[in-house]
Amino acid sequence: MKDFFRILKYVKPYLGYAGLNIFFNILNILFSLVSITMIIPFLGLLFGTQEKVYNPQELGFSASAIKENFYALITNIIDDKGKVEALIFVCVLILVMFFFRNLCRYLALYFLSPIRNGVVCDLRNDLNKKIISLPLSFFTEKRKGDITSRMTTDLVEIEWSIMSSLEMFFKDPLNIIIFLITLIIISPKLTLFVVILFPITGFLIAIIGKSLKKSSEKGQSKMGDLLSIIDENLSGLRIIKAFDAEEMIHKKFEKESADYRNIMTRLLRKKDLSSPMSEFLSTVVMIVVMWFGGKLVLSGSGTLSPEEFIGYIAIFSQLIPPAKSFTSAYYFIQKGSASAARIHEILDAENDIKDTENAKTISEFKSEIKMENLTFSYENIAVLKNINLTICKGETVALVGQSGSGKSTLADLISRFYDVKTGEVKIDGENIKNLKIVDVRKLMGIVNQESILFNDSIYNNILLGNPIATMQEVEKAAKVANAHDFILKTENGYDTNIGDSGVKLSGGQKQRLSIARAILKNPPILILDEATSSLDTESEKLVQDALNNLMQSRTSIVIAHRLSTIQNADKIIVLHEGKVVEYGTHNELLVNNKHYKKLYDLQNFS
Ligand code: ADP
Ligand code: MG
C-alpha cells in the first residue's frame, strides 16, 4: 500500500479536478438515493397505504422533516387531483432524478480523466528524466528490456489498475457511507446486523489481494525479460539470420513467452475469483437481511412497514455494487502496487555521480588534464592500475594497447562517466569531482567507434552538438567533417531522416555526422575512441581528414587501433593490462624497442 500512496501524491497538482470529481460524485449519490427512496411512496400509493400528512413540521435538513414535507405534497396532489396524478408526479420525479444522477456521473468522470492521464504522464516524464540522469554504471546491471518494460507496461498497469481505481476510491466510500446512513435512518436494528457481517468479508478479500500482488510482481518482471529478448533480437537480426539461428532464438523466446502465459493465467484466475466471491458474499448478506427484515415486518410491531422494507432492500441492493467495486478497486490497487514498486525502484535509484554542494564552475580549459595515482575497477578486478598521466593543453595524446587494456575506461574517467575511488583526475589542477558535471562535459567532444545517432533528421542530429546553432553553422560543421557533399545527395538533404541509429547511412557517413556534431560543439578537449576502426580504407581516409580538421588547435586524446593514424601524436601512451608501460613519441618508442615496437611490427607485418 505504501507504493500506492506514493503514486497518490502525484494527484496533488490535480486537486482542483479531484474536488470537482468528488463534488459531482456526491451529487450523483444524492440523486440516486432520492430516486430510489421514491419507491416507498410509489408502493404506498399502489397499495393504498400511503401515509397522509397535513401539517408537516417546518422544512429542514433532518430526514424526517424532508419526508413529512414530501408526504404532505403528495397528500395535497392526491386530494386535489387523484391518485393517478400523484403516481404520474412520482414517476416524473424519478425520471428527472435519474437524469441528473447520470449527468452528474458523467461530469464526475469528465473531471477524472485529466487526473488519470496527468498522473501517468507526470510519472512517465519523471521516469525518463531519472533514467537519463542516471550514471552509465546503473545500466550495466539492469537490462534494457527491463527498463523498457518499467516505462511501458508498468505504467500502463498503473494507469489501468490504480488510476481506474481512483474513481472508486473517490466515490465508493462516500457512496457506502451515505447509503448506510440512510439505511440506519430507515431501520437501525436491521442495519446493525449488516455492519457485523462486514469484517468477515473484508478479511477474505484481503487474502486474495495479497496473493494478487505477488503474481503481478512476477508477471511484470517476466514481461521485462521478454522485452529484453525482443530488443536483442531486433538489434541482432542480421546475425541471427546469418548464423541461421532463427529456430534457436525462437525456442528461447517461446519458453519465456510460455512462462509469462502461465504466470498471467494464474493471475487472471485469482482476479476472476474476486467477482464471483464477492457476489456470493453479498448474496449471503442479502439473504440475512431479507430473513431478519422479513421477520421484523411480520412481527407487526410497526417498526418497519412492508413498503419501507422493500425500499430498504432497494437501497441495500444499491449498496452492493459500490461495495463490490470498492473491493475490486482494492484488488486492482494491490495488483498495480507491484508495478508502482518497480517504478519507484528506478525513481529511488541513487545517482552517485552528481555535483557536490559547492561544485565550481569551469568555462575554459587553461593548462592540463592530470591523472594522479589513479586505480579503477568496475567490479572487483582493477582495470586501471596506478596511472599517472599529464595531458597538456594543445597536445595530441594517443592511447594505444591491446583490446581490453583499459583505454576506453581511461577516456570515460576523463569525462566522468564513472567516478574514481582511488587517485584523482584533475583539470587545471582541480579534481573533477569538485567541478560541475555539465561544465566538465561542455569542455569535451566525443566521437566513438560506433557512431551514436538518433532517428531524426540529419540537421537535428548535428544540432545536438549545439542546439542554438544556425543553419549556416551546421552546414559549416558538415563541410569541415567532409559530410556536406553526401548530405546534399540524400533525398531531402539536411532534412533527411536517417532511420533508427542511422541505418540508412553507411558506417563512414554516420561517423562523419558524429564528427560534424563534435565540430559544431567546438569543445577545447576532444576524445576520439577508435573513431575510424570500423571503417573501410576509403571512408577511413575521408573520416581521418575530417578528424584532422577537428583536432586542429585542440587538445586531443586519441585512442587508435591502427597505429598509422597516430604517428604524429605529441605523446603516445602504451597501456598494457591497465598499466602505463611506455610513453614517448613514435620515434622514441620505436627506438625503445619494447611494447610499442611489438604492436607496430605486428601491424606492419599483416
Ligand atoms: P579497451 O578500450 O582498451 O579495449 P576497456 O576500457 O573497454 O578496454 O575495458 C577494460 C576492461 O574493463 C576489460 O577487461 C573489460 O572487460 C572491462 N570492462 C569494460 N567495461 C566494463 C563494464 N561496464 N563493466 C565491467 N567491466 C567492464
Ligand atoms: Mg575500447
Side-chain angles (χ1 to χ4, degrees), residues 60 90-91 104 107 177 208 229 247 258 309 378 408 464 508 513 515-516:
V90 171
C91 285
C104 291
L107 285 175
I177 290 169
I208 297 192
I229 296 180
E247 188 129 338
F309 180 50
Y378 286 105
S408 301
L464 201 71
L513 284 192
I515 293 170

Side-chain angles (χ1 to χ4, degrees), residues 149 153-154 157 212-226 256 259-267 338-339 342:
S149 112
T153 53
D154 280 308
E157 177 65 36
L212 260 178
K213 187 177 166 196
K214 257 196 211 131
S215 297
S216 181
E217 259 161 25
K218 276 193 213 150
Q220 292 295 344
S221 104
K222 206 25 118 196
M223 186 32 98
D225 293 347
L226 270 180
E256 296 286 327
D259 283 353
Y260 182 67
R261 178 196 60 204
N262 296 340
I263 292 172
M264 291 318 272
T265 307
R266 243 171 287 151
L267 180 71
S339 288
R342 278 163 57 81

Side-chain angles (χ1 to χ4, degrees), residues 141-203:
E141 277 148 48
K142 290 255 179 312
R143 295 173 80 188
K144 222 159 121 200
D146 180 62
I147 291 174
T148 319
S149 112
R150 286 172 205 239
M151 277 209 74
T152 52
T153 53
D154 280 308
L155 273 179
V156 170
E157 177 65 36
I158 285 187
E159 141 130 70
W160 283 104
S161 304
I162 295 187
M163 291 298 120
S164 62
S165 307
L166 270 190
E167 190 206 349
M168 304 167 202
F169 201 73
F170 286 156
K171 189 170 123 193
D172 295 334
L174 276 175
N175 213 333
I176 294 172
I177 290 169
I178 294 179
F179 276 48
L180 260 182
I181 291 174
T182 320
L183 290 180
I184 291 173
I185 291 172
I186 298 181
S187 173
K189 234 178 172 177
L190 197 48
T191 312
L192 185 71
F193 226 82
V194 179
V195 175
I196 290 172
L197 293 169
F198 276 0
I200 304 168
T201 43
F203 177 71

